[in-house]
């Protein structure tokens, strides 16, 4: 695949990076401008339920998050340039070659792991600022510094325990499986994902949170009835201590097959009435009943197959490495370059994935409206928007590009048109 000369690829990469970065910055500016322009009045459909101070808090919170996002966008682009064209990856690879055999697997593992560690260290100041300045300023943060660093240490250990064996398998397959290595790597990647999905509820999630069976008998009976009505089998109802990190509320299902469990954040239980919790769970059940979870997994698997095939074509091409200012051609280097550079190009697919996700949200809402009370779901959503200080007036273009959930006003208007169960 002699698609480019090294210089041609450098130019294509720089153009795509510039276009993606400018689009991101432009969308962030639009969002900030739109939210600030609408800060003065509560939108009509919420005037009876959300107060002006709450609306203004949501506006200020959205603007603060978007401003932090701008720093993130600029920093991300700079780091990417330093690692590729700036010679960072090449330097790291040379440095590891002094202590490890450059042709061996451990050299590859060291290269990939050092890039991941470097990226997390660079992200650390932003993560600290997000939690202890932005979230704290708006009263959402419940995390202590000790918990923050304990989480970080646990994530690092978990990343090592799962990531190093996976990486060794991938590098081995790449070296030994000939032309079709990408197909074998894809199979290994699918197996790994299914394994994580399976062990997540029972082994991974409890590392970070405590899960206790739901103790409120009235609420539990209500939920059991909903599950029976929807023909849904789950292995237990759990309450998670989400309040130890943040006051944002949520509910989710995890696991699959007969091992599915329902998890409610403690913050959700204290804020919503039982009928509202039931409506929120009916929405989550809708995602299962309409097969959204499996559809999403299927899309991800199809996309990763496509990506690995592309990498299979690129891996032997000198222009791919030279174009990104890398001279040590190898499997781990190819992986690293690919995963750093690909998001620059796939960024432009974001509106499609967002659209797909919003369509699922509407379907889950429709399911909830036919198995629980749509009016309760609306009440629950309004409380959640208010508690999470989600903006009611996002910029339409920003929302179409990024938002996995429909804008509040559209979503509620749709629910109010649906016939009740
Ligand atoms: Zn949903």
């Amino acid at each position: 695949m002699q698609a480019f000369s090294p210089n041609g690829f450098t130019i294509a990469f720089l153009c795509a990076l510039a276009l993606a970065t400018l689009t991101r910055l432009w969308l962030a500016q639009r969002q900030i401008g739109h939210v600030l322009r609408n800060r003065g009045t509560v939108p009509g459909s919420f005037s009876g339920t959300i107060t002006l101070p709450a609306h203004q808090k949501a506006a200020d919170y959205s603007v603060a998050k978007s401003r932090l996002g701008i720093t993130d966008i600029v920093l991300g682009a700079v780091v990417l340039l330093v690692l590729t064209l700036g010679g960072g990856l090449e330097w790291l690879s040379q440095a590891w070659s002094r202590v490890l055999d450059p042709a061996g697997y451990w050299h590859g593992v060291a290269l990939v792991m050092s890039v991941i560690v470097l990226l997390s260290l660079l992200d650390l100041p932003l993560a600290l600022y997000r939690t202890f300045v932005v979230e704290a300023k708006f009263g959402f943060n419940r995390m202590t510094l000790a918990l923050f660093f304990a989480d970080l240490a646990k994530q690092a250990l978990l990343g090592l325990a799962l990531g190093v064996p996976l990486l060794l398998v991938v590098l081995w397959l790449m070296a030994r499986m000939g032309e079709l290595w990408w197909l074998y790597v894809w199979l290994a990647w699918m197996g790994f994902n299914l394994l994580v999905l399976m062990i997540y509820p029972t082994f991974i999630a409890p590392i970070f949170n405590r899960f206790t069976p739901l103790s409120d008998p009235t609420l539990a009976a209500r939920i059991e009835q909903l599950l029976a009505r929807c023909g849904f089998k789950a292995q237990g109802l759990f309450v998670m201590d989400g309040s130890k990190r943040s006051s944002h509320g949520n509910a989710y299902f995890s696991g699959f097959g007969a091992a599915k469990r329902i998890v409610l954040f403690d913050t959700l239980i204290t804020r919503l009435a039982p009928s509202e919790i039931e409506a929120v769970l009916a929405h989550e059940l809708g995602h299962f009943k309409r097969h959204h979870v499996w559809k999403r997994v299927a899309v991800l698997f199809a996309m990763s197959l496509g990506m690995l095939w592309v990498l299979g074509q690129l891996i032997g091409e000198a222009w791919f490495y030279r174009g990104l200012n890398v001279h040590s051609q190898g499997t781990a280097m190819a992986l690293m370059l690919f995963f750093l550079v690909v998001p620059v190009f796939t960024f432009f697919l974001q509106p499609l994935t967002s659209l797909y996700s919003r369509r699922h949200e509407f379907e889950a809402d429709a399911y909830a409206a036919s198995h629980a009370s749509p009016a309760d779901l609306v009440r629950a959503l309004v409380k959640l928007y208010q508690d999470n200080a989600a903006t009611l007036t996002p910029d339409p273009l920003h929302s179409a590009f990024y938002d996995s959930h429909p804008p509040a006003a559209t979503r509620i208007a749709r629910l109010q048109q649906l016939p009740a169960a």
Side-chain angles (χ1 to χ4, degrees):
M1 190 160 88
Q2 188 57 53
F4 288 101
S5 67
N7 283 337
F9 186 55
T10 308
I11 291 167
F13 167 61
L14 283 175
C15 287
L17 179 61
L19 193 60
T21 307
L22 290 174
T23 308
R24 281 194 172 107
L25 292 173
W26 175 64
L27 287 170
Q29 283 303 340
R30 279 188 63 108
Q31 171 82 341
I32 292 172
H34 196 271
V35 167
L36 286 178
R37 272 195 303 282
N38 290 285
R39 190 179 179 277
T41 24
V42 180
S45 50
F46 295 97
S47 56
T49 43
I50 287 187
T51 62
L52 185 62
H55 173 65
Q56 291 181 329
K57 176 184 171 183
D60 296 341
Y61 181 53
S62 298
V63 169
K65 280 197 299 186
S66 293
R67 292 217 166 110
L68 189 61
I70 289 177
T71 316
D72 212 5
I73 293 162
V74 174
L75 189 73
V78 171
V79 169
L80 181 57
L81 282 174
V82 169
L83 281 176
T84 54
L85 301 181
L89 279 177
E90 179 65 31
W91 182 86
L92 267 175
S93 174
Q94 301 280 350
W96 283 118
S97 296
R98 274 178 229 125
V99 277
L100 295 163
D101 171 14
Y105 295 119
W106 288 108
H107 181 274
V109 172
L111 178 66
V112 173
M113 287 296 158
S114 50
V115 172
I116 293 174
V117 169
L118 189 74
L119 292 176
S120 339
L121 283 179
L122 288 170
D123 184 55
L124 191 58
L126 276 184
L128 282 167
Y129 187 83
R130 186 175 299 122
T131 306
F132 295 101
V133 179
V134 178
E135 293 289 306
K137 183 178 164 196
F138 292 92
F140 294 129
N141 181 45
R142 301 261 178 92
M143 188 125 81
T144 58
L145 265 177
L147 181 58
F148 183 91
F149 284 106
D151 278 358
L152 207 63
K154 286 178 188 171
Q155 281 158 3
L157 287 176
L158 193 64
L160 277 178
L162 293 174
V164 172
L166 173 71
L167 194 56
L168 279 170
V169 168
V170 167
L171 292 175
W172 183 81
L173 289 171
M174 289 174 89
R176 296 298 182 88
M177 289 297 152
E179 287 273 283
L180 286 178
W181 65 264
W182 51 273
L183 196 58
Y184 292 95
V185 168
W186 180 67
L187 290 171
W189 175 241
M190 282 206 307
F192 175 78
N193 270 283
L194 291 176
L195 178 77
V196 169
L197 214 59
M198 219 151 65
I199 65 173
Y200 183 82
T202 33
F203 293 103
I204 300 181
I207 299 177
F208 297 94
N209 282 97
R210 186 174 298 143
F211 294 82
T212 40
L214 179 63
S215 56
D216 179 343
T218 2
L219 181 59
R222 218 184 160 115
I223 294 174
E224 298 293 351
Q225 276 168 18
L226 171 74
L227 296 182
R229 213 155 62 230
C230 299
F232 187 87
K233 282 188 181 52
Q235 221 183 42
L237 281 163
F238 292 87
V239 179
M240 188 186 104
D241 58 345
S243 60
K244 79 171 182 180
R245 293 197 180 79
S246 145
S247 60
H248 294 304
N250 209 345
Y252 69 90
F253 287 75
S254 70
F256 59 91
K260 282 189 293 284
R261 21 166 91 181
I262 297 174
V263 176
L264 298 168
F265 280 40
D266 52 358
T267 37
L268 193 79
I269 296 185
T270 50
R271 270 297 285 162
L272 300 186
S275 61
E276 294 163 355
I277 295 177
E278 180 188 322
V280 168
L281 277 181
H283 168 97
E284 295 301 323
L285 274 173
H287 282 308
F288 257 96
K289 286 288 168 176
R290 297 282 176 258
H291 311 294
H292 296 161
V293 182
W294 287 116
K295 280 182 187 165
R296 242 170 256 194
V297 170
V299 168
L300 282 179
F301 281 171
M303 277 174 69
S304 52
L305 181 64
M307 297 274 196
L308 283 167
W309 177 82
V310 171
L311 180 57
Q313 311 308 304
L314 292 175
I315 199 161
E317 300 292 340
W319 57 260
F320 173 59
Y321 302 87
R322 303 283 178 280
L324 296 167
N325 197 20
V326 164
H327 296 270
S328 332
Q329 210 161 316
T331 49
M333 185 57 99
L335 270 182
M336 217 52 263
L337 280 179
F338 189 69
F339 287 107
L340 284 173
V341 167
V342 139
V344 172
F345 294 94
T346 53
F347 167 72
F348 299 97
L349 295 176
Q350 178 74 45
L352 287 179
T353 32
S354 302
L355 183 72
Y356 188 61
S357 170
R358 288 196 301 271
R359 219 177 61 192
H360 285 173
E361 293 307 325
F362 282 130
E363 286 178 18
D365 277 350
Y367 183 90
S370 60
H371 292 82
S373 146
D376 277 320
L377 185 54
V378 170
R379 264 192 296 278
L381 285 174
V382 170
K383 278 190 193 173
L384 291 175
Y385 289 135
Q386 187 167 351
D387 288 2
N388 294 333
T391 179
L392 301 173
T393 57
D395 171 56
L397 211 58
H398 183 278
S399 175
F401 211 96
Y402 291 114
D403 287 353
S404 59
H405 287 66
T410 322
R411 194 170 170 193
I412 285 177
R414 274 263 194 130
L415 268 172
Q416 284 165 339
Q417 282 159 14
L418 291 169

